[in-house]
Amino acid sequence: MLKGIINYSHYLMEGAVNKGDTVIDATCGNGHDTIFLSRLVGKDGHVFGFDIQDQAITNTERVLAQNGLTNTTIIKDSHSNFVHHIPVDKLTRLGGAIFNLGYLPGSDKSVITRSETTILAIEGILSHMKQNGIVVLVVYHGHNGGDLEREQLMRYVRLLDQKLYHVLYYGFINQKNDPPFILAVQKRN
Amino acid sequence: MLKGIINYSHYLMEGAVNKGDTVIDATCGNGHDTIFLSRLVGKDGHVFGFDIQDQAITNTERVLAQNGLTNTTIIKDSHSNFVHHIPVDKLTRLGGAIFNLGYLPGSDKSVITRSETTILAIEGILSHMKQNGIVVLVVYHGHNGGDLEREQLMRYVRLLDQKLYHVLYYGFINQKNDPPFILAVQKRN
């Protein structure tokens, strides 16, 4: 079967990220991706997870502890400030980042990611990323404000220089109710 | 690295097609996909290849012979007539089809695939396809008439019932000069 959106986002990370890499979970949410990334980079790698909501920080730290995963640092701050929280020796090993854009499932729908800070974060991450590193954006856009973030994000990634980056769109186009899709940006050799 | 369009089209076929299946190469062209499909289905499977141009038939039959691949039947006719050329026992094992839409590389750019016959062929193939079978469309659209075929095709696949089919768009969206992209239609369980 064709891979669904979440499976495919993990498949892309597996294809680009190596053991020992630093990775960023730009939107911890309920910690599902944080767990996946922690296992992906292994004991010599490190995950920096960001979220601006207390509930997300609490949930993520709890599931990490339940799974005995210690190669992680969870930070309550905007992902656009990532550079202030990652030591230089770890930043030079940045191999990937994942964003789940939209709102925290099961929480306040008025707290949403916004294109200005999302794009700031992507730009910063791309500038520090290793060659072949990847930024995977899982774009939920059915909520209030989601269409605006989607359009501004699409405009931004379409203009990334094709000599420096591959930009992939992966999505199911016959589904009702604004299903999420993937934008992936990979830094070329 | 993110898979390029041709690699990804083969990856999709590998994921859906089994040894012993019947598959359709709807546009033989220079025979590259025909060779790939012949190896994919193995000696108990069969490839039916279609093209309307003599040059494509000649080229494809030559490269198949050079590679000693005999589980193939190459037919000079429109792919929309596929059902008249495939025996029933083989049609019941139809697991996949691939289309390269556009014109024959290195040939007359005025001979192009057209949405009316392309869509007729897809509809027929989907109706005979096994569950989990896949139709992969590699959509070249930079030539004269390419934008029209692309738009009509997009409209058609977007309307396929999501309970019966998954329709995937896979494409690089920051490239100049109308690069090809993939539409894949998979029959659901």
Side-chain angles (χ1 to χ4, degrees), chain A residues 1-3 8 11-12 15 131-132 134 154 157-163 165-177 183-189, chain B residues 1-3 8 11-12 15 131-132 134 154 157-163 165-177 183-189:
Chain A
M1 267 290 151
L2 289 167
K3 286 184 172 65
Y8 194 71
Y11 170 81
L12 288 176
Q131 287 182 333
N132 295 325
I134 199 164
M154 288 292 285
V157 298
R158 278 184 195 281
L159 292 174
L160 286 171
D161 186 343
Q162 71 181 89
K163 294 190 201 73
Y165 303 104
H166 295 297
V167 179
L168 175 71
Y169 181 104
Y170 181 98
F172 294 91
I173 60 173
N174 68 326
Q175 297 179 358
K176 297 190 194 306
N177 301 323
L183 296 172
V185 182
Q186 187 162 36
K187 199 164 187 170
R188 300 183 63 169
N189 287 317
Chain B
M1 265 293 150
L2 289 167
K3 286 185 172 64
Y8 195 71
Y11 170 80
L12 288 176
Q131 286 182 333
N132 295 324
I134 198 165
M154 288 291 287
V157 298
R158 279 183 194 281
L159 292 173
L160 285 171
D161 186 343
Q162 71 181 87
K163 294 192 200 71
Y165 302 103
H166 294 296
V167 179
L168 175 71
Y169 181 104
Y170 181 98
F172 294 91
I173 60 172
N174 68 326
Q175 296 179 358
K176 297 188 194 307
N177 302 321
L183 295 172
V185 182
Q186 186 162 35
K187 200 165 187 170
R188 300 182 63 168
N189 286 318

Side-chain angles (χ1 to χ4, degrees), chain A residues 107-125:
Chain A
S107 175
D108 182 356
K109 285 193 189 188
S110 72
V111 181
I112 59 175
T113 54
R114 291 181 192 282
S115 57
E116 297 79 8
T117 40
T118 301
I119 290 171
L120 259 182
I122 297 169
E123 286 199 311
I125 287 168

